[in-house]
């Protein structure tokens, strides 16, 4: 793997991905709801003003407009904060996007996901969005770990005709992938091999899982690390291989432990190869603070992931 890119926010990938799609011949239209400076959608609008619309503080209307454009043959992208998309728009996503024709070609790119929105505080910290998005039957759901992964993930969902939800983040996070990385929808990326336990993470927790694997290695514990960027459809083969080959699994996500990555992994294991599991996530509402301080406040840390791994390993037969 080539050297990782410098630190960048995953939300910054959005306009680059849209421009790439247009240049590849995809008939993209993009809609924002008064937050384009934060979602970065305005940069696409500057490049392609005839393909970009802003509707003001009207997220539900944005979904309806996108559904209409998709029904007319467009690949419609909509962007807002994750607390609003899907939080405020769930009914419209369900009835106007998910249900018609088995799912319309609308792509949701929701920035400021999780608790790392930082100073915006509790009301702006979306820790339910993945549960809502995965409950929409035809939706693909993706949580990329860095800028390169986010750009490729948005391009990938833009080339399908299914509805999709891609969560991006506010803070600049260290790059994990280099230019040789290739995102594939529905496939995990093995970042580190191991034989004692598997750490399965998404988003900002991928880097934290890698740090946890280093801590465990210092104790003689061999930890596999999987970046499960696609939560739905989940990479069942990677989960099953991890269960059979390492015998214990920890999931780590910037989301509550119900309805997100941990739930998806647990379902696969319950149906096939049950092994000891531990879950790292956010199961309480938050507070305001700097994003990296909030990771510590919520104990989304390498030490906690490593402790969860030890606990799961202790239950192996």
């Amino acid at each position: 793997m080539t050297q990782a890119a410098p630190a960048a926010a995953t939300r910054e990938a959005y306009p680059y991905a849209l421009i790439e799609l247009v240049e590849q011949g995809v008939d993209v239209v993009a809609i924002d709801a008064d937050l384009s400076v934060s979602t970065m959608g305005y940069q696409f609008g500057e490049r392609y003003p005839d393909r970009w619309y802003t509707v003001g503080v009207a997220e539900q209307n944005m979904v309806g407009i996108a559904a209409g454009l998709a029904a007319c043959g467009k690949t419609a992208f909509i962007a807002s904060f994750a607390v609003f998309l899907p939080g405020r728009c769930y009914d419209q996503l369900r009835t106007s996007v998910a249900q018609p024709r088995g799912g319309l070609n609308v792509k949701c790119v929701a920035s400021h996901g999780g608790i790392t929105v930082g100073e915006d505080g509790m009301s702006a910290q979306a820790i339910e969005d993945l549960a809502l998005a995965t409950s929409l039957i035809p939706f693909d759901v993706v949580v990329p770990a860095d800028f390169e992964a986010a750009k490729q993930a948005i391009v990938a969902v833009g080339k399908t005709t299914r509805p999709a939800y891609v969560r991006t983040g506010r803070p600049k996070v260290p790059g994990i992938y280099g230019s040789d990385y290739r995102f594939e929808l529905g496939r995990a990326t093995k970042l580190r091999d191991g034989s004692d336990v598997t750490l399965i993470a998404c988003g900002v927790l991928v880097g934290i899982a890698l740090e946890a694997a280093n801590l465990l290695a210092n104790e003689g514990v061999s930890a596999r690390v999987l970046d499960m960027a696609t939560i739905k459809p989940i990479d069942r083969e990677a989960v099953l291989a991890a269960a059979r080959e390492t015998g214990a699994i920890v999931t780590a996500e910037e989301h509550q432990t119900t309805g997100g990555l941990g739930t998806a992994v647990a379902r696969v294991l319950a149906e096939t190869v049950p092994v000891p599991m531990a879950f790292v996530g956010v199961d309480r509402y938050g507070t305001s603070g700097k994003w990296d301080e909030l990771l510590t406040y919520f104990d989304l840390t390498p030490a906690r992931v490593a402790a969860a791994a030890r606990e799961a390993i202790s239950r192996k037969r």
Side-chain angles (χ1 to χ4, degrees):
M1 183 176 292
T2 59
Q3 184 176 1
T10 52
R11 64 183 169 127
E12 294 172 1
Y14 179 51
Y16 293 93
L18 296 190
I19 290 168
E20 183 173 327
L21 284 166
V22 172
E23 290 175 346
Q24 293 181 11
V26 180
D27 194 5
V28 169
V29 292
I31 312 171
D32 267 279
D34 197 51
L35 292 171
S36 65
V37 173
S38 297
T39 67
M40 314 304 289
Y42 79 96
Q43 295 180 9
F44 175 73
E46 290 176 344
R47 180 73 172 268
Y48 292 105
D50 57 335
R51 293 180 176 273
W52 184 70
Y53 307 92
T54 182
V55 298
V57 186
E59 291 87 359
Q60 294 99 326
N61 290 343
M62 176 177 68
V63 174
I65 293 167
L69 289 166
C72 295
K74 304 291 186 181
T75 297
F77 279 83
I78 54 178
S80 187
F81 290 176
V83 288
F84 304 137
L85 179 70
R88 181 172 291 171
C89 307
Y90 184 79
D91 181 50
Q92 288 74 26
L93 289 170
R94 177 176 176 269
T95 58
S96 298
V97 177
Q99 292 180 348
R101 304 180 188 176
L104 294 178
N105 191 11
V106 174
K107 322 298 184 183
C108 308
V109 179
S111 74
H112 294 58
I115 53 89
T116 51
V117 296
E119 293 88 345
D120 287 359
M122 182 192 308
S123 65
Q125 293 168 356
I127 59 171
E128 312 89 354
D129 58 312
L130 302 181
L132 291 170
T134 55
S135 73
L136 295 167
I137 293 171
F139 271 63
D140 296 330
V141 180
V142 185
V143 187
D146 72 355
F147 176 94
E148 183 64 31
K151 185 178 74 171
Q152 292 193 29
I154 295 167
V155 170
V157 300
K159 291 181 177 179
T160 77
T161 58
R162 299 185 301 276
Y165 180 82
V166 180
R167 182 211 257 196
T168 62
R170 179 185 188 184
K172 292 184 182 295
V173 295
I176 292 173
Y177 298 109
S179 59
D180 62 341
Y181 171 72
R182 294 295 177 266
F183 173 86
E184 185 177 353
L185 191 64
R187 294 296 180 199
T189 300
K190 186 191 292 186
L191 293 172
R192 179 173 180 148
D193 206 358
S195 57
D196 295 324
V197 65
T198 299
L199 313 179
I200 303 179
C202 63
V204 72
L205 268 293
V206 173
I208 290 171
L210 287 169
E211 293 182 45
N214 289 333
L215 293 178
L216 292 166
N218 292 335
E219 304 170 8
V221 177
S222 175
R224 180 177 302 183
V225 178
L226 297 180
D227 175 3
M228 193 66 72
T230 308
I231 295 177
K232 181 187 174 190
I234 198 164
D235 187 344
R236 293 176 63 90
E237 293 180 4
V239 174
L240 292 178
R244 293 184 177 120
E245 295 167 11
T246 71
I249 288 177
V250 175
T251 57
E253 58 194 310
E254 190 190 357
H255 186 269
Q256 59 183 285
T257 56
T258 299
L261 174 64
T263 297
V265 171
R267 176 177 177 177
V268 174
L269 296 178
E271 293 174 341
T272 53
V273 186
V275 298
M277 277 193 73
F279 304 83
V280 174
V282 183
D283 288 320
R284 57 193 170 102
Y285 291 112
T287 187
S288 179
K290 295 185 183 301
W291 72 271
D292 51 348
E293 295 173 346
L294 289 177
L295 288 174
T296 301
Y297 177 83
F298 285 104
D299 205 12
L300 299 180
T301 62
R304 181 185 176 193
V305 175
R310 294 186 207 99
E311 193 276 328
I313 290 170
S314 72
R315 291 186 277 116
K316 291 169 68 172
R317 294 180 179 178

